[in-house]
Amino acid sequence: MTEPNTKNRLNPEQYARLKAEMATPYRGLRQFIYIAFGASGLLGAFIFFFRLLAGRDIDNALPNLALQVGIVALMVFLWRWEQQRQRRP
């Protein structure tokens, strides 16, 4: 006896989820990377901000703070871009 078609065994919700995953592969991994790098940049910005407030090694702390803030801004931009692409059909 033959197996019934696998398409018939999937409910519409599972089929839609699999179809969305085909359209945007590795979306979950990308979002994890955005969160991880954003959190790392935020922690670095926090540390360099307080180094500036303390007046310690200002020549190195200011460019590093700017870099960390730039990383956080980039991750926020990429996260929002990803969310907008998901909403569009």
Side-chain angles (χ1 to χ4, degrees), residues 2-45:
T2 61
E3 286 267 328
N5 191 356
T6 57
K7 183 180 174 187
N8 295 336
R9 288 191 285 169
L10 290 175
N11 65 22
E13 182 180 311
Q14 287 175 328
Y15 183 71
R17 190 182 58 164
L18 288 173
K19 193 173 177 182
E21 181 64 29
M22 265 185 8
T24 58
Y26 305 112
R27 182 175 174 268
L29 178 63
R30 285 193 308 266
Q31 287 184 337
F32 173 76
I33 290 172
Y34 299 154
I35 291 171
F37 285 11
S40 173
L42 195 59
L43 181 62

Side-chain angles (χ1 to χ4, degrees), residues 38-81:
S40 173
L42 195 59
L43 181 62
F46 179 78
I47 290 170
F48 287 116
F49 176 72
F50 281 106
R51 277 194 179 185
L52 280 175
L53 283 181
R56 297 171 65 197
D57 199 16
I58 293 175
D59 292 336
N60 287 331
L62 189 60
N64 287 332
L65 175 64
L67 176 67
Q68 299 298 325
V69 169
I71 289 171
V72 171
L74 177 65
M75 293 304 118
V76 168
F77 169 75
L78 290 173
W79 177 270
R80 287 185 178 179
W81 188 36

